[in-house]
Amino acid sequence: MTMARTPRTAPGFLQRYHHHRQHRAPVALARVVLALWCILGTVLSGPAHQATQELDSYFTTSRPVRIIVDMATQKPRIPLILYSDLKTTTTTTTTTTSTVSTPSSSGEQPLYRVNGSNGQACILLQVDAIITVKYKTKVGEEREADIYVPNDATVTGNCANDNSATMSLKWKVFVLFWSFARSPGGEGWYVDKIELTYNSSDRHFELIDQPNKTVRLTTGKKHSTMFFPTPVGKSYACNEKEIPLTDGKTHATVLLREMKLQPFKFKSNTFATEFWCKPERATRDETAPVAVGSTLAAAVLLTITGYAAYRYFKVKKVQYDTME
């Protein structure tokens, strides 16, 4: 009897064979992928690197680096000035002439002086003077201008005549003129005229109606009025005196305060014994007393008249009754 031969397959062999194929397939696939990756990397390595550089150059802007160096510059130094350290020097130039104006020795009021031919003072005036001028503006408004006679006014004068003398105080556009005279008997002296001359365009006269005009105001004609009569050999002294000036249209007053005046001097440069002015009486308003007196007089007159009329008619009636 013949039996057919069958291949010998053992269960263990088949299991190992299938297990070997299952594990070998992934390994082969991995080797193929790795080979392809290497080939691809070799091919693309050059272009990829170049592309990367192009992208970098596209998205990155190369700018030159600027180096800024701040050099320390020396600034000019401004000196600091302290006002407390400043010193001012004033130079005063004094001009000596035959007619001079110098401060008084007491330092209270300025002393104006006119020298004679012998160099001695022939006229001395010490005063604080203020001139008030009334004027009209272009719109018709009444105004007053106050002008102060300065300490440094230029003094000129003439003492050559024994019976008369003159003195002028000049500053800017103003001239204040004084005229002196002796009394007829020669026992005294007085001021016979004071005159003010000025130009109406001065800054004191704002909006004046008649600018650039020479105005001359005076006390009046010479010898028409005797101001400050004083015995010879004495100086006139007064605390305050007011002198009116006018030209008929414009009016002004010269206020003389703390005044001492002496012309016709020939021996010394100081004032002689003072002859004080008489105090001016205070003027009072007489309107009220006159009104009261007039009213009383009218009342008395009416009373007397009424009483007389009463007596007249009453006596007349009595006579008529007696006749009947």
Side-chain angles (χ1 to χ4, degrees), residues 147 172-174 198-206 208:
I147 301 100
K172 295 183 180 180
V173 298
F174 299 92
Y198 64 91
N199 190 291
S200 60
S201 294
D202 187 73
R203 63 179 182 83
H204 290 88
F205 309 104
E206 297 180 356
I208 193 169

Side-chain angles (χ1 to χ4, degrees), residues 3 5 9 61 172 188 203 235 246 274 293 311 319 323:
M3 295 182 63
R5 295 181 63 182
T9 56
T61 303
K172 295 183 180 180
R203 63 179 182 83
S235 63
T246 185
E274 296 173 350
R311 292 288 300 171
Q319 290 178 353
M323 291 177 63

Side-chain angles (χ1 to χ4, degrees), residues 14-30:
L14 293 175
Q15 292 179 355
R16 286 195 303 269
Y17 176 75
H18 289 292
H19 179 74
H20 174 74
R21 288 182 63 93
Q22 290 177 357
H23 286 277
R24 188 176 180 182
V27 173
L29 181 62

Side-chain angles (χ1 to χ4, degrees), residues 56 77 80 131:
D56 291 339
R77 300 179 63 184
L80 179 62
I131 304 172

Side-chain angles (χ1 to χ4, degrees), residues 26-39:
V27 173
L29 181 62
R31 289 179 180 178
V32 173
V33 172
L34 180 59
L36 291 175
W37 177 260
C38 291
I39 295 171

Side-chain angles (χ1 to χ4, degrees), residues 241-261:
K241 206 75 172 180
E242 190 171 294
I243 306 299
L245 305 176
T246 185
D247 63 350
K249 297 180 180 180
T250 305
H251 300 274
T253 56
V254 181
L255 180 61
L256 306 170
R257 299 183 298 187
E258 305 296 331
M259 182 179 68
K260 287 183 182 181
L261 176 63

